[in-house]
Amino acid sequence: MDLKGSIQDLWKDIYNTGDLHHCFNCSTCLSGCPASYGDPPLLVRNLARMVILGLEEELLNEDTPWACVSCSKCEEMCPMDVKPFEMILAIRQWQSANDETRVPPSIVEIYKRGYTQAVGVNTDLRDSLGLPELKTITNNPELLQMFREMLMKTPVVSANDYMFGG
Amino acid sequence: MELCLFLGCNTPAIRPDVERAIRASMPILGIDLVDADNYVCCPAFGAFPSTDTDSWLATSGWNLSIAEEKGCDIVVQCGSCYSSLRMGREHIMHHPEKQERVNELLEPTGRRVDGRSKVRHVSEVLYKEIGPETIAGQLKKSLKGMNGVVQYPCHTLFPSEVVGFEDSAREPKGMRRLVEALGANVNSYSRELQCCGGAGGFMKSTPEQAIEFAQSKFDAILAETQTDFIAVSCITCLMHMENVQNTLNKRVGEERYKIPIFDYNQLLALCLGFEAKQVASICNVPRDSVLSRIA
Ligand code: SF4
Ligand code: SF4
């Protein structure tokens, strides 16, 4: 492994927890991980190593954290309390902050209508099932505006405000 | 007991019959549901939790504050919503500086959050609060004579310290007891605790492997059980386990994978006497083989 480009304190930017350093590469986190069956596989153990070693270039280019299904099995199994799922989220956050192409499109969707799906607009179907009308922020312009203004004060939304226009 | 119903995105938009089943069945068992009016996305793990803590926890805080205002706990069926809301609540409760920041962000919207409303999964409420015996005592129909298998929502098991309610996350019993309460015989199989694989980016980033992963589970069910159906309690498990069976059939060139999938509350509502056209009308794998036998 080439450690020339490694940044010693990078872990503090990405996942600033002492627990990370207790990782001893045991691989237990891989044993029940669905995404470890992927191609390329999501290998939590390797990601922990990369964060500790400060491999910035490699980490920025890693797509595998986005294959995680959020099942948290790794978190249950890790004997050293590294909280690997939280580490996955932390790596994604760090990537999103440093590379706008990583910003997930779903946050634009949620900013625009409050949800990842068209909630509360399928009124005919809901009627036919005897379901009540839903009070959603999609249908409440004033609240939706407040929600957007709140988000606009948070780091990734404000840094990429051009994505949220209109 | 009153609980605040958090619907999430997929259930009300794509599978509102599951919503109908929950709204129909819970009050009969003593749970009054109040709507989480003007809630927003949980937030999904692939959204704000993947960008920054501020937007993540502000969004969780928005949702939690709705239940806090109503003075009750939240109940949720979707596994991801459950896990996201619970993790958000943990962060807000145990980190004063995060709570302060969230309240600063929420302030202009007229909301506040302190974490006093708990987040509960519908299967936990059914299993621990109501209990299988009470459920069995209310039924008008049953699944007698049928075999089922259960799919535990991963998000309700792990990390057990934060989200768990089973005595052991390695040996969960809730879903099994709940389905048995409806009169069915629950079969065990080797890959019972294997994740459905449907959440997050696994299917999107490596679909081939995600489908093979799911196939290994279905092959185990077919080889090791006599099952007539699969009972789930998560909207992602429900939709993914149906869709993947159809994909697999196209691959193998025969209708090998056709196990009907039900959300638990759908089976429950059916056994409580509600009609399938209201509580179990939307599916991608036909359910008639089961519906015709509920008596
Ligand atoms: S299970 Fe924990 S200690 Fe073991 S390799 Fe994974 S992160 Fe490191
Ligand atoms: S939470 Fe993500 S990394 Fe951990 S086991 Fe599940 S899929 Fe793998």
mmCIF file of all heavy atoms in Angstrom, chain A residues 23-29 45 78-80 82 84, ligand 1:
data_model
loop_
_atom_site.group_PDB
_atom_site.id
_atom_site.type_symbol
_atom_site.label_atom_id
_atom_site.label_comp_id
_atom_site.label_asym_id
_atom_site.label_seq_id
_atom_site.Cartn_x
_atom_site.Cartn_y
_atom_site.Cartn_z
ATOM 1 N N CYS A 23 -10.393 -0.395 16.335
ATOM 2 C CA CYS A 23 -10.599 -1.392 15.272
ATOM 3 C C CYS A 23 -9.331 -2.223 15.118
ATOM 4 O O CYS A 23 -8.240 -1.685 14.968
ATOM 5 C CB CYS A 23 -10.925 -0.707 13.954
ATOM 6 S SG CYS A 23 -10.939 -1.847 12.558
ATOM 7 N N PHE A 24 -9.479 -3.545 15.193
ATOM 8 C CA PHE A 24 -8.285 -4.391 15.045
ATOM 9 C C PHE A 24 -8.432 -5.336 13.851
ATOM 10 O O PHE A 24 -7.866 -6.424 13.825
ATOM 11 C CB PHE A 24 -7.953 -5.117 16.348
ATOM 12 C CG PHE A 24 -9.003 -6.092 16.817
ATOM 13 C CD1 PHE A 24 -8.674 -7.414 17.081
ATOM 14 C CD2 PHE A 24 -10.313 -5.696 17.010
ATOM 15 C CE1 PHE A 24 -9.621 -8.327 17.519
ATOM 16 C CE2 PHE A 24 -11.282 -6.612 17.444
ATOM 17 C CZ PHE A 24 -10.921 -7.921 17.698
ATOM 18 N N ASN A 25 -9.230 -4.868 12.841
ATOM 19 C CA ASN A 25 -9.289 -5.579 11.570
ATOM 20 C C ASN A 25 -9.830 -6.992 11.658
ATOM 21 O O ASN A 25 -9.448 -7.848 10.868
ATOM 22 C CB ASN A 25 -7.881 -5.654 10.965
ATOM 23 C CG ASN A 25 -7.675 -4.590 9.916
ATOM 24 O OD1 ASN A 25 -8.475 -3.664 9.815
ATOM 25 N ND2 ASN A 25 -6.632 -4.720 9.136
ATOM 26 N N CYS A 26 -10.715 -7.230 12.607
ATOM 27 C CA CYS A 26 -11.142 -8.616 12.821
ATOM 28 C C CYS A 26 -12.103 -9.107 11.747
ATOM 29 O O CYS A 26 -12.322 -10.291 11.595
ATOM 30 C CB CYS A 26 -11.796 -8.738 14.189
ATOM 31 S SG CYS A 26 -13.368 -7.864 14.315
ATOM 32 N N SER A 27 -12.740 -8.184 11.004
ATOM 33 C CA SER A 27 -13.667 -8.523 9.914
ATOM 34 C C SER A 27 -15.039 -8.990 10.361
ATOM 35 O O SER A 27 -15.840 -9.412 9.523
ATOM 36 C CB SER A 27 -13.090 -9.602 8.971
ATOM 37 O OG SER A 27 -11.867 -9.193 8.462
ATOM 38 N N THR A 28 -15.324 -8.948 11.641
ATOM 39 C CA THR A 28 -16.646 -9.363 12.089
ATOM 40 C C THR A 28 -17.734 -8.528 11.407
ATOM 41 O O THR A 28 -18.808 -9.034 11.090
ATOM 42 C CB THR A 28 -16.771 -9.197 13.616
ATOM 43 O OG1 THR A 28 -15.596 -9.719 14.218
ATOM 44 C CG2 THR A 28 -17.988 -9.922 14.144
ATOM 45 N N CYS A 29 -17.415 -7.261 11.171
ATOM 46 C CA CYS A 29 -18.393 -6.369 10.535
ATOM 47 C C CYS A 29 -18.793 -6.845 9.143
ATOM 48 O O CYS A 29 -19.847 -6.479 8.640
ATOM 49 C CB CYS A 29 -17.843 -4.949 10.457
ATOM 50 S SG CYS A 29 -16.175 -4.854 9.791
ATOM 51 N N ARG A 45 -14.403 -3.075 7.125
ATOM 52 C CA ARG A 45 -13.088 -3.177 7.752
ATOM 53 C C ARG A 45 -12.055 -2.345 7.000
ATOM 54 O O ARG A 45 -11.296 -1.588 7.585
ATOM 55 C CB ARG A 45 -12.673 -4.660 7.755
ATOM 56 C CG ARG A 45 -11.270 -4.933 8.208
ATOM 57 C CD ARG A 45 -10.798 -6.286 7.645
ATOM 58 N NE ARG A 45 -10.795 -6.263 6.188
ATOM 59 C CZ ARG A 45 -10.943 -7.327 5.419
ATOM 60 N NH1 ARG A 45 -11.136 -8.512 5.940
ATOM 61 N NH2 ARG A 45 -10.925 -7.227 4.107
ATOM 62 N N CYS A 78 -19.741 -5.638 15.790
ATOM 63 C CA CYS A 78 -18.385 -5.136 16.054
ATOM 64 C C CYS A 78 -18.049 -5.242 17.539
ATOM 65 O O CYS A 78 -18.722 -4.667 18.382
ATOM 66 C CB CYS A 78 -18.261 -3.686 15.597
ATOM 67 S SG CYS A 78 -16.702 -2.923 16.114
ATOM 68 N N PRO A 79 -16.981 -5.986 17.864
ATOM 69 C CA PRO A 79 -16.644 -6.190 19.278
ATOM 70 C C PRO A 79 -15.985 -4.962 19.903
ATOM 71 O O PRO A 79 -15.857 -4.890 21.120
ATOM 72 C CB PRO A 79 -15.657 -7.360 19.233
ATOM 73 C CG PRO A 79 -15.032 -7.285 17.886
ATOM 74 C CD PRO A 79 -16.069 -6.720 16.964
ATOM 75 N N MET A 80 -15.563 -3.999 19.082
ATOM 76 C CA MET A 80 -14.796 -2.871 19.604
ATOM 77 C C MET A 80 -15.572 -1.561 19.605
ATOM 78 O O MET A 80 -15.001 -0.488 19.800
ATOM 79 C CB MET A 80 -13.490 -2.715 18.797
ATOM 80 C CG MET A 80 -12.596 -3.928 18.831
ATOM 81 S SD MET A 80 -12.309 -4.555 20.499
ATOM 82 C CE MET A 80 -11.133 -3.348 21.081
ATOM 83 N N VAL A 82 -16.794 0.233 17.296
ATOM 84 C CA VAL A 82 -16.399 1.209 16.278
ATOM 85 C C VAL A 82 -17.642 1.900 15.692
ATOM 86 O O VAL A 82 -17.568 2.994 15.155
ATOM 87 C CB VAL A 82 -15.581 0.498 15.162
ATOM 88 C CG1 VAL A 82 -15.340 1.392 13.971
ATOM 89 C CG2 VAL A 82 -14.246 0.010 15.734
ATOM 90 N N PRO A 84 -19.608 0.838 13.036
ATOM 91 C CA PRO A 84 -19.260 0.947 11.612
ATOM 92 C C PRO A 84 -20.343 1.633 10.771
ATOM 93 O O PRO A 84 -20.015 2.356 9.832
ATOM 94 C CB PRO A 84 -19.077 -0.508 11.176
ATOM 95 C CG PRO A 84 -18.845 -1.264 12.435
ATOM 96 C CD PRO A 84 -19.588 -0.555 13.509
HETATM 97 S S1 SF4 C 1 -15.894 -5.530 13.419
HETATM 98 FE FE1 SF4 C 1 -15.208 -3.588 14.347
HETATM 99 S S2 SF4 C 1 -13.137 -4.029 15.089
HETATM 100 FE FE2 SF4 C 1 -13.656 -5.676 13.657
HETATM 101 S S3 SF4 C 1 -12.868 -4.951 11.642
HETATM 102 FE FE3 SF4 C 1 -15.010 -4.308 11.767
HETATM 103 S S4 SF4 C 1 -14.910 -2.227 12.571
HETATM 104 FE FE4 SF4 C 1 -12.928 -3.167 13.023
#
